[in-house]
Amino acid sequence: MSMRAAFLSTALALEPWVEEMRRHMPELELVAGGDDESLEIALAWQPHQGALARLPNLRLVHALGAGVEELLADPGLGAHVKVVRLVDPAMTAAMGEYVQLQVLRLHRQDLTYRAQQAAHEWRELPQPSAAERRVGILGLGALGSEAALRLSVLGFDVAGWSRSERRHRGFACHHGSDGLAALLARSDILVCLLPLTPETENILDARLFAALPAGAALVNCGRGAHLVESDLIAALDGGHLSAAVLDVVRAEPLPPDHPFWTHPRIVLTPHAAAATDPRTAAPIVADALRRFAGGEAVRNLVDRARGY
Ligand code: NDP
Ligand code: OXD
């Protein structure tokens, strides 16, 4: 049975999606921009303003990314519309790789060695073992739990934090507001892989930094709005935090005069930790659309009240 879906994105190119969806779902026609009021399904990632509102018959939006805060905040998204987020094992692996790289960079004191090289200084630093380095992961979902597992395989002393109680083999789990204090107190390196919700916005602030051990470091690959940027600068300049790796920032691209560009204890990447790849995402989207059309349960539905 043929199916039509709107493709709504200011950020993703249409052609690769047409090609990959044709490969995995030949019965689907993608309608660019979606200017057809009869459409019931949309694939969306940063849609044009007002694009969702122009689809009054919409029943399902499949996000072409993992974090759905922007879609949920779109005033054109009807309250009854189901939203599916992307959970792609290739994206999970890419994020796992990124977190391993950055935690190893911090663990092996790479920023200090780079600064020493710039100063022509040949000086070996005392190096703790991975087992002596405590890593905390905020968010134990698709991405956070894989990152935690990979870090524990590398030998780090890992613990994680989620909203509800979770159990994982290989690392300790904390949950809820009570669990946060315990996680922070034992995190020499803190990795944020939370979704952005009203509860998690600005969570990485001065109070949270003060609850980390002196000399701790931060890796933020959730969203820029998790972080109070001025609090980070203050914690780095005051010496309580030793370094930060930021894949996401509040305004992307980062404004040219932003202090993060030149801060000696900040490593920046341009929201590049784990991008959506249509080659691996298309079969996952196709499966969800087929299930939806067949009246079956669709996986990875967003709980709109919870915000993720
Ligand atoms: P999931 O929805 O699978 O997991 C979210 C996790 O966060 C869950 O463990 C959830 O707890 C926990 N959580 C949510 N709210 C709270 C809260 N208030 N307190 C404590 N824990 C909370 O998301 P993913 O792992 O797929 O993705 C996480 C985020 O990563 C995305 O939302 C996106 O912002 C970001 N991302 C960044 C990318 C990049 O390239 N930088 C790429 C892809 C995603 P519980 O288990 O109890 O539900
Ligand atoms: C996502 C992202 O949420 O790329 O998928 O940030």
Side-chain angles (χ1 to χ4, degrees):
M1 204 177 64
S2 69
M3 193 190 284
R4 300 174 78 234
F7 182 88
L8 309 176
S9 184
T10 54
L12 302 175
L14 171 68
E15 295 72 27
W17 280 96
V18 170
E19 191 177 321
E20 293 302 327
M21 290 308 295
R22 189 179 294 140
R23 195 190 313 277
H24 296 282
M25 200 176 187
E27 70 274 28
L28 178 76
E29 182 195 345
L30 279 184
V31 182
D35 282 333
D36 176 344
E37 288 205 349
S38 69
L39 293 171
E40 296 185 354
I41 295 173
L43 311 190
W45 190 247
Q46 299 175 357
H48 290 92
Q49 210 181 358
L52 288 169
R54 285 196 294 276
L55 297 174
N57 291 302
L58 203 57
R59 294 168 58 214
L60 178 88
V61 177
H62 201 308
L64 300 179
V68 290
E69 73 287 348
E70 278 189 37
L71 269 179
L72 298 190
D74 192 314
L77 186 73
H80 61 284
V81 178
K82 291 190 183 330
V83 177
V84 181
R85 60 191 210 87
L86 183 63
V87 178
D88 178 348
M91 178 188 269
T92 303
M95 183 59 83
E97 209 173 81
Y98 181 90
V99 172
Q100 285 174 294
L101 167 71
Q102 303 303 353
V103 168
L104 282 169
R105 177 201 298 284
L106 295 165
H107 168 60
R108 296 306 302 242
Q109 310 173 82
D110 192 49
L111 270 72
T112 306
Y113 281 127
R114 297 283 68 77
Q116 287 187 189
Q117 181 177 351
H120 295 204
E121 184 183 355
W122 187 271
R123 183 164 63 90
E124 187 182 350
L125 303 169
Q127 178 61 54
S129 70
E132 291 167 315
R133 193 75 82 183
R134 300 163 300 173
V135 184
I137 312 279
L138 301 178
L140 289 176
L143 303 180
S145 57
E146 171 69 12
L149 197 62
R150 285 175 177 235
L151 293 172
S152 51
V153 168
L154 288 176
F156 289 103
D157 179 359
V158 180
W161 182 66
S162 54
R163 203 168 82 124
S164 53
E165 190 169 0
R166 303 269 164 199
R167 281 178 210 282
H168 285 275
R169 197 174 293 175
F171 55 90
C173 297
H174 303 265
H175 71 280
S177 40
D178 295 348
L180 181 59
L183 180 98
L184 296 176
R186 49 85 62 220
S187 294
D188 301 315
I189 300 175
L190 185 72
V191 179
C192 177
L193 271 169
L194 289 166
L196 184 61
T197 69
E199 282 180 33
T200 65
E201 188 170 3
N202 296 327
I203 189 171
L204 304 173
D205 65 357
R207 209 160 67 135
L208 178 142
F209 299 146
L212 292 168
L218 172 73
V219 179
N220 187 17
C221 23
R223 285 288 183 263
H226 284 131
L227 175 67
V228 180
E229 296 185 339
S230 53
D231 286 2
L232 176 66
I233 301 265
L236 289 170
D237 292 350
H240 184 65
L241 291 190
S242 60
V245 176
L246 306 175
D247 184 53
V248 287
V249 287
R250 232 159 238 273
E252 296 182 3
L254 190 68
D257 55 349
H258 197 287
F260 285 173
W261 284 114
T262 50
H263 198 287
R265 302 306 299 179
I266 289 179
V267 172
L268 280 175
T269 51
H271 202 142
T276 298
D277 183 342
R279 293 170 302 175
T280 54
I284 295 165
V285 174
D287 177 65
L289 300 196
R290 284 203 183 96
R291 283 170 182 270
F292 181 70
E296 291 172 54
V298 181
R299 286 189 278 254
N300 303 313
L301 269 185
V302 171
D303 178 335
R304 292 193 53 184
R306 210 176 53 172
Y308 70 97

